[in-house]
Amino acid sequence: MAVGYLVYLATAVVFVIWFHRVASNASVWAADLQGRKPGWAIGGWFVPIGNLWIPRQIAVDVWRASRRDPYAADGARELTLLNSWWACFVLGLILDRLSTGLYRRAETLDALSTAATWSLAGYAFIVAAGVLALLFVRRLTSMQHTKATGMLSAAK
């Protein structure tokens, strides 16, 4: 179990470093579209309650700045991947907190079974969030790479 937590922690650290980097890039391409400074890409995860929406807002701003035309309106379903990732992540966190409370109060086998069911549901959402986060990272990294290399070739 300790190895699992270490892998989770290492993954979270690498993700937050990546998130800060893409936010820094976005602030170069479309600073006026960024609702927060790049430092919030790190700090936003540590704000109690605010961590349920601040990182998502930053991700949306970064996504928009990373498009070919940052000022264009969002396309139909353009933010579906981002919103799906975030919804699964937040639902997983909420269900984890719920199941933890249920475990602490459980005094019967039925109560433990209910807590385990909610815990499994939470883990299912966290796993889905992990897969969607991987897809989100790949897509946003690709968008930023395309934008950066396009800018370099235009500068030549």
Side-chain angles (χ1 to χ4, degrees):
M1 198 56 118
V3 172
Y5 287 117
L6 288 175
V7 170
Y8 180 79
L9 180 62
T11 303
V13 168
V14 170
F15 179 85
V16 170
I17 291 169
W18 169 85
F19 198 55
H20 179 262
R21 180 165 300 221
V22 295
S24 296
N25 292 344
S27 70
V28 170
W29 294 324
D32 57 326
L33 293 179
Q34 305 308 297
R36 291 182 170 80
K37 300 282 185 196
W40 278 99
I42 297 170
W45 295 97
F46 300 99
V47 176
I49 310 299
N51 61 3
L52 297 176
W53 72 83
I54 291 172
R56 185 207 168 267
Q57 289 175 333
I58 293 167
V60 169
D61 291 346
V62 169
W63 185 278
R64 289 176 177 148
S66 302
R67 297 186 296 206
R68 185 174 310 233
D69 179 4
Y71 301 96
D74 293 340
R77 297 184 307 273
E78 179 179 355
L79 298 175
T80 300
L81 175 60
L82 188 155
N83 289 331
S84 299
W85 157 59
W86 195 253
C88 286
F89 177 71
V90 170
L91 269 166
L93 289 178
I94 291 169
L95 292 175
D96 180 60
R97 295 270 161 44
L98 172 69
S99 67
T100 299
L102 291 172
Y103 271 121
R104 287 184 181 147
R105 291 189 304 275
E107 294 181 4
T108 66
L109 192 54
D110 283 344
L112 281 172
S113 177
T114 299
T117 300
W118 284 108
S119 181
L120 285 172
Y123 283 130
F125 277 105
I126 291 295
V127 167
V131 171
L132 292 167
L134 180 61
L135 296 172
F136 171 71
V137 166
R138 290 176 53 98
R139 179 68 180 125
L140 187 55
T141 300
S142 174
M143 289 168 64
Q144 287 206 345
H145 177 75
T146 299
K147 186 159 188 136
T149 55
M151 292 176 76
L152 288 174
S153 60
K156 288 182 182 178

